[in-house]
Amino acid sequence: MPEQAYPGGCKMFGKQVENMDQNVVLTMKDISKTFPGVKALSHVDFTLRKGEVHALMGENGAGKSTLIKVLTGVHEFETGEIRMDGKDAAVINHSPQEAQENGISTVYQEVNLCPNLTVAENLYIGREPRKFGMIDWKTMNKKSQELLKNLDIAVSPTTMLDECSIAIQQMIAIARAVDMKCKVLILDEPTSSLDDGEVEKLFVLMRRLKSEGVGIIFVTHFLEQVYEICDRITVFRNGELVGEFETEKLPRVMLVAKMMGKDFDDLADIKGDRKTQAKKSEPVIEAKGIGHQGTIRPFDMTFHAGEVVGLTGLLGSGRSELVRAVYGADKADSGTLKVKGKEIKINTPLDAMQAGMAYLPEDRKKEGILADLSVRENIIIALQAKRGMFKPMSRKEMEDFADRYIKVLQVKTASRETPIKSLSGGNQQKVIIGRWLLTNPDFLILDEPTRGIDIGTKTEIQKLVLQLADEGKSVTFISSEVEEMLRTCSRMAVLRDGRKVGEIEGEDLTQEKIMQTIAGGEK
């Protein structure tokens, strides 16, 4: 444990506690929120102080977004209370507008301003200065100019917002919040689409607001940025508070351990029945300097036949983005790609399919299943696309293919004609895997193939992954569960903050080594 950790807020002694109480701008105590079948927040606490940048950290589903939505009035909460500096009674925000009136403003990754209006109009929308009942454009532009100059934002008030970069748009959203006298500024993944220079400009503005006493809640997945800008870190996991920590006293590797739910003292190399020796043979895929601006930095990666390669890292590290760049789901804007020694250009997923690739995406419902189509139609659709519209399958071919993979993968369905939306999540996943196996790929990408499915089906899919490698296919496996990857992968690439930062194999392939690499080499 770090030297000082304050789960659920700070507990210190004497005058220190009095001074800290005077410095607190926001307190959330014993907050609970339940959705049907899910405890999103379970009696959590959060404390924000004036003039600090406070990181909210946690993996997907940890409760960060729910806490923010409870605070800003998007969701009601069942237990607990919220108190703001200067308010005698507990605060309950019934809408984001009411939260703003209480001094709480939020800037999201996707800026929620009006691109068809000018910078000045966006700064003062809904509160425009008026003269004789009409908008006083001269005064509004002048006030906007003064606000922008004061915050060192280099843009004209009369510029249309859609002509501004994403970074400038976010700064304009922050400027609007500042002008509305916000005491609490929430920045929800503001740097995900920014380059390094834009991030630094945003940090300059954040430091300025911090010096003026604004409390800033910073939600991000980038460890480097947390340790550059944040004073404190609060970690959530599975809707529960793990603890509040001073950034400088929490080593990165400990932060990773707390986010992933591992007791560092109990870390062990989980051997299980995973393959310890990969059948290294000819490269199937060779990526050199492949990258996609805004999602994944240029990387080198080789995938061999007969091996299972894992991609690991915290949520937002670039795992999915790496394979999407290889597959053409996000067209690479740098580098070269070779398939079986021959350099090719992948402009679209169809190009990747024709080159012998297959991709099971992370979001099964959004990008995987075709909900209103039958099991049969979901299984055959990729092969039909690969063949082309002028080579349609016969009905008998479709039925034979569907029956084969329903049997091989033990899909539990009333019939091949059952709508796939009627199946359980695990059986939907099996159908999608069957879809791609039918194309007989040389390179198979499985992104979170076992998320949200029962333990029995998980084991079946893990065994299938190893079987496919034994048959000579190259498999790339992504999972948020490190133990699962250690059981199935012979080599793992580690990603952090949109970069590939290392590869681990052999005796080094342990949970401890993975976590140290994610954390930047700390022990």
Side-chain angles (χ1 to χ4, degrees), residues 81 112 134 145 169 242 261 341 377 393 395 398 465 480:
E81 69 172 18
N112 53 348
M134 306 288 287
Q145 183 67 54
Q169 290 184 34
V242 176
E377 291 166 314
M393 296 183 203
R395 179 68 181 224
M398 294 183 193
V465 167
S480 298

Side-chain angles (χ1 to χ4, degrees), residues 353 378-387 435-436 439:
M353 288 170 60
N378 270 275
I379 288 177
I380 62 91
I381 194 164
L383 180 59
Q384 183 61 75
K386 189 175 180 180
R387 286 186 177 184
R435 171 195 298 169
W436 292 114
T439 66

Side-chain angles (χ1 to χ4, degrees), residues 286-298:
E286 296 172 87
K288 298 287 185 184
I290 293 289
H292 180 265
Q293 188 170 4
T295 62
I296 184 73
R297 305 295 176 87

Side-chain angles (χ1 to χ4, degrees), residues 283-288 290 301 303 336-344 357:
V284 176
I285 302 289
E286 296 172 87
K288 298 287 185 184
I290 293 289
M301 200 74 197
F303 303 88
T336 59
L337 192 75
K338 288 183 179 180
V339 177
K340 293 186 174 180
K342 181 182 178 182
E343 186 172 321
I344 66 170
M357 300 187 206

Side-chain angles (χ1 to χ4, degrees), residues 32-311:
S32 295
K33 173 63 183 175
T34 304
F35 296 106
V38 178
K39 190 77 171 178
L41 293 173
S42 181
H43 304 286
V44 302
D45 299 340
F46 177 74
T47 302
L48 179 69
R49 296 153 191 84
K50 299 175 185 176
E52 77 167 358
V53 181
H54 196 135
L56 274 187
M57 301 291 286
E59 288 282 70
N60 193 25
K64 308 184 300 294
S65 295
T66 305
L67 187 83
I68 288 171
K69 288 176 179 177
V70 161
L71 174 60
T72 56
V74 176
H75 293 323
E76 295 180 357
F77 53 99
E78 287 118 31
T79 68
E81 69 172 18
I82 300 171
R83 288 191 174 270
M84 289 282 296
D85 171 57
K87 303 282 184 182
D88 294 329
V91 172
I92 298 178
N93 296 311
H94 298 94
S95 68
Q97 183 176 354
E98 188 173 343
Q100 209 161 47
E101 291 167 359
N102 283 320
I104 303 169
S105 292
T106 307
V107 177
Y108 295 98
Q109 177 184 349
E110 301 294 333
V111 180
N112 53 348
L113 297 177
C114 301
N116 59 325
L117 300 181
T118 67
V119 169
E121 287 174 297
N122 274 283
L123 286 171
Y124 287 97
I125 190 167
R127 55 194 190 101
E128 300 89 347
R130 293 184 176 269
K131 195 171 185 180
F132 307 120
M134 306 288 287
I135 294 175
D136 186 347
W137 295 99
K138 183 178 179 180
T139 299
M140 185 167 72
N141 287 333
K142 182 181 178 183
K143 289 176 68 175
S144 298
Q145 183 67 54
E146 291 171 354
L147 177 61
L148 295 167
K149 183 179 179 181
N150 185 46
L151 295 174
D152 199 23
I153 301 173
V155 65
S156 167
T158 56
T159 301
M160 299 300 293
L161 189 72
D162 61 4
E163 296 176 13
C164 302
S165 68
I166 294 296
I168 293 294
Q169 290 184 34
Q170 287 178 331
M171 289 181 183
I172 291 165
I174 292 171
R176 173 180 164 84
V178 169
D179 195 57
M180 294 179 73
K181 311 300 181 190
C182 75
K183 298 177 181 179
V184 174
L185 177 63
I186 304 167
L187 300 178
D188 191 359
E189 296 286 359
T191 62
S192 295
S193 303
L194 308 186
D195 62 31
D196 291 343
E198 292 170 330
V199 169
E200 187 49 45
K201 288 178 183 176
L202 178 62
F203 283 1
V204 168
L205 180 55
M206 288 171 65
R207 290 187 183 102
R208 178 164 185 171
L209 297 176
K210 171 183 166 180
S211 70
E212 294 172 1
V214 177
I216 301 174
I217 300 174
F218 186 46
V219 182
T220 183
H221 293 116
F222 296 116
L223 294 185
E224 300 287 345
Q225 294 176 8
V226 167
Y227 281 87
E228 180 178 347
I229 194 73
C230 296
D231 304 290
R232 295 177 190 272
I233 301 169
T234 288
V235 181
F236 290 130
R237 187 174 65 249
N238 298 329
E240 297 182 353
L241 175 69
V242 176
E244 179 193 288
F245 311 92
E246 290 184 49
T247 305
E248 63 182 17
K249 295 180 180 178
L250 181 65
R252 297 184 192 199
V253 72
M254 290 298 296
L255 173 57
V256 172
K258 292 179 183 303
M259 289 173 65
M260 297 175 73
K262 306 301 172 190
D263 185 340
F264 211 69
D265 295 333
D266 294 337
L267 287 178
D269 181 13
I270 303 171
K271 296 289 184 185
D273 58 357
R274 71 177 176 89
K275 291 170 71 69
T276 56
Q277 187 68 36
K279 296 192 296 183
K280 281 285 181 70
S281 55
E282 77 279 359
V284 176
I285 302 289
E286 296 172 87
K288 298 287 185 184
I290 293 289
H292 180 265
Q293 188 170 4
T295 62
I296 184 73
R297 305 295 176 87
F299 63 89
D300 296 344
M301 200 74 197
T302 301
F303 303 88
H304 297 269
E307 71 169 346
V308 181
V309 177
L311 301 183

